[in-house]
Every structure is written in structure tokens, then in C-alpha cells.
Amino acid sequence: MTSFHVRSISLPTNSHPLALAVEQQLCILRATEQSTSSSSICQNLSGLKDLYACVEDFLSTQDGECLDSGLDGSIKLLDVCSIIRDILSQMKQSVQELQSSIRRRSNEVSDYMISRKKTTKVIRKCLSDLKNNKKNETEVSILTKVEATTLAVFESLLSFVSELKQNKSLISKLMLNKKVSSHKCDQETSEVMEVDTAVKSLIKGIEVNSVQKTLKALEMTLQDLEDGVESVFRCIIKNRVSLLNILNQ
């Protein structure tokens, strides 16, 4: 996983308390910004909300100097945030559709896998863009450090959703169920009975229940991530409005 190589600058002891509050939140997030578990990522998204609340207070003390970079940074953050929102929404929809198809016993696994491949392609492109556009500066402002930390959290989220493991054995069995349903009716009776028995066993068995439980857990995780990203998105918009107001004074 890539990381943002931004050297932290120690603030002088007489720095404004609100600037120190931002630095403190940055330190907390840096300790876990590259976490890859869903719970840690959700916690980091919540941490970003706290960070931007501190940034909002910090901006109220500024007169516009050295804040121009924050405007450009906020545009980039909003763009990445919008992409992530779309990715999570699409993934959740695909999971829900697969759950529904399994309940209907149609098992449209192929549709899910096609959607998954398309989403993964978007994720990889976004990760590549983040890697290619990352900053490597030695002297940075507080807002630049906030941007870098936010992007690092976004990067860990994208890496997480791009590497969700599929249970290939269960998916293969569901695919088999789909193929069996399309077989011609002129097969030997014994073969049809054998397939019917296998399909009924699959539909009512532990395998499908396991798939449904896994899909439900994934749906809940995606919802939590979606809620967290939405909250951060609103925080970034609020900060951008504050920046514009300060710079237009």
C-alpha cells in the first residue's frame, strides 16, 4: 500500500492552541491512517470528522495568508470523495441484487462478478492517480498536511474494498446452479434427477446460508463506510466554504 511521504513539522511552543489542536488530531490519525480493517477505517473516517472540526476552528483565526493551497486541495479531496461514494454505492447495490437473486433462487452470480470487475477497475485507477499525484514536500502548511492525511485514509479505504476476498468454492457452486437451470429438458431422467438433487441440496444447504451471511455482513460494512465517507464529504464542503469566505474578505 502506498503512503504519503510528508514530513511532519513541529510547531513552535507559542503556536496558536487551535493549530496545536489540528496537529494533535493529525497525530492520532497518522498512527492508524494505513489500517486495512473495516473497523479501523470507519474509526479513521470518524477521526477525519474530528480533524475537520478542528480545522474549522483554526480557519476562524486566519486572515487569508497561506490558505490558497487549501482551496486547490479541497477540490481534489471532493473529487476523490465523490468517486469513493459512487464506488461504495455501486458495490452495495450489487451485493443487494445478488442477495435478492439468491432468495429468488436465480443466483445471478455472473452479473455480480461483472459489476465487481468494473468497480475494481475504477478503484485501481483511483489508487494509481493518488500514487502518481502524491506530494513529497519538506515544508508544508497545516492544510497541506490535513489533505495528505485525508488522502491516506481514502487510500486505505480503496485498498480495502479492492481486495475483498470472494469465497470461490461457494461462488462456483452458485454458478453451477445457474448453468444447471439452463440445461435442455431432453437429458436423461437419471441425470436430471441427480442435478435436481444437487441443486436442492445447494439451495437449502449450509453453502447458500453461508453466502447470504457473508453478503449481509459485507452490505453492513459498505453501509458503515458509505455513511462515514458522506460525513467527511460534508465536512470538506464546509471547510471549503469557510476558506472561500476568508479569502473573499
Side-chain angles (χ1 to χ4, degrees):
M1 185 181 299
T2 58
S3 60
F4 292 83
H5 302 289
V6 180
R7 190 177 69 188
S8 176
I9 301 174
S10 298
L11 292 177
T13 55
N14 61 348
S15 292
H16 196 285
L18 293 178
L20 292 175
V22 174
E23 287 286 351
Q24 183 178 18
Q25 290 298 323
L26 284 170
C27 289
I28 294 173
L29 279 166
R30 285 188 187 120
T32 57
E33 66 185 15
Q34 298 298 324
S35 299
T36 56
S37 69
S38 60
S39 59
S40 295
I41 294 172
C42 287
Q43 184 177 353
N44 285 342
L45 290 172
S46 179
L48 285 178
K49 288 175 56 181
D50 296 336
L51 171 63
Y52 279 97
C54 291
V55 171
E56 191 71 19
D57 293 336
F58 168 74
L59 290 177
S60 67
T61 67
Q62 303 303 298
D63 57 7
E65 294 183 8
C66 302
L67 296 183
D68 292 288
S69 62
L71 278 180
D72 293 336
S74 66
I75 293 176
K76 180 178 181 180
L77 292 174
L78 289 173
D79 286 343
V80 176
C81 209
S82 294
I83 293 173
I84 294 175
R85 291 165 76 201
D86 291 342
I87 288 171
L88 294 175
S89 177
Q90 180 59 50
M91 289 183 67
K92 188 176 69 173
Q93 180 180 344
S94 296
V95 168
Q96 291 171 338
E97 289 175 351
L98 180 55
Q99 287 177 298
S100 178
S101 74
I102 292 176
R103 286 193 294 269
R104 297 194 309 269
R105 300 185 179 182
S106 58
N107 297 337
E108 301 292 342
V109 180
S110 58
D111 291 344
Y112 174 79
M113 297 305 294
I114 291 172
S115 175
R116 186 78 178 95
K117 288 180 180 179
K118 290 180 179 178
T119 303
T120 300
K121 185 176 180 180
V122 175
I123 294 172
R124 288 176 178 172
K125 183 180 185 305
C126 189
L127 283 171
S128 177
D129 290 343
L130 288 177
K131 179 180 179 180
N132 294 334
N133 296 327
K134 67 181 179 180
K135 298 179 179 180
N136 189 16
E137 303 178 16
T138 56
E139 297 296 329
V140 293
S141 67
I142 284 182
L143 294 183
T144 305
K145 288 189 281 186
V146 169
E147 176 190 343
T149 297
T150 303
L151 289 174
V153 173
F154 285 168
E155 185 182 13
S156 67
L157 189 161
L158 287 168
S159 296
F160 170 75
V161 295
S162 71
E163 297 172 358
L164 290 172
K165 300 295 188 295
Q166 303 293 333
N167 189 321
K168 294 184 178 180
S169 62
L170 295 180
I171 292 295
S172 297
K173 289 180 181 179
L174 289 172
M175 290 293 287
L176 173 62
N177 181 30
K178 177 67 175 178
K179 292 177 181 178
V180 166
S181 65
S182 64
H183 280 184
K184 294 181 180 180
C185 296
D186 59 357
Q187 293 176 306
E188 294 292 334
T189 302
S190 59
E191 292 177 351
V192 172
M193 290 179 64
E194 289 177 2
V195 171
D196 284 347
T197 300
V199 170
K200 289 178 182 179
S201 176
L202 171 63
I203 293 174
K204 297 179 180 179
I206 298 175
E207 292 89 347
V208 168
N209 290 335
S210 177
V211 170
Q212 284 285 41
K213 289 179 181 179
T214 301
L215 290 173
K216 186 61 179 178
L218 175 55
E219 180 188 3
M220 293 174 64
T221 295
L222 292 173
Q223 183 63 59
D224 289 341
L225 293 174
E226 195 173 23
D227 291 343
V229 171
E230 182 63 31
S231 295
V232 174
F233 184 80
R234 290 196 296 266
C235 289
I236 297 172
I237 290 179
K238 184 177 180 180
N239 271 200
R240 179 170 173 78
V241 171
S242 296
L243 279 170
L244 287 170
N245 289 337
I246 294 171
L247 293 172
N248 289 332
Q249 287 178 355

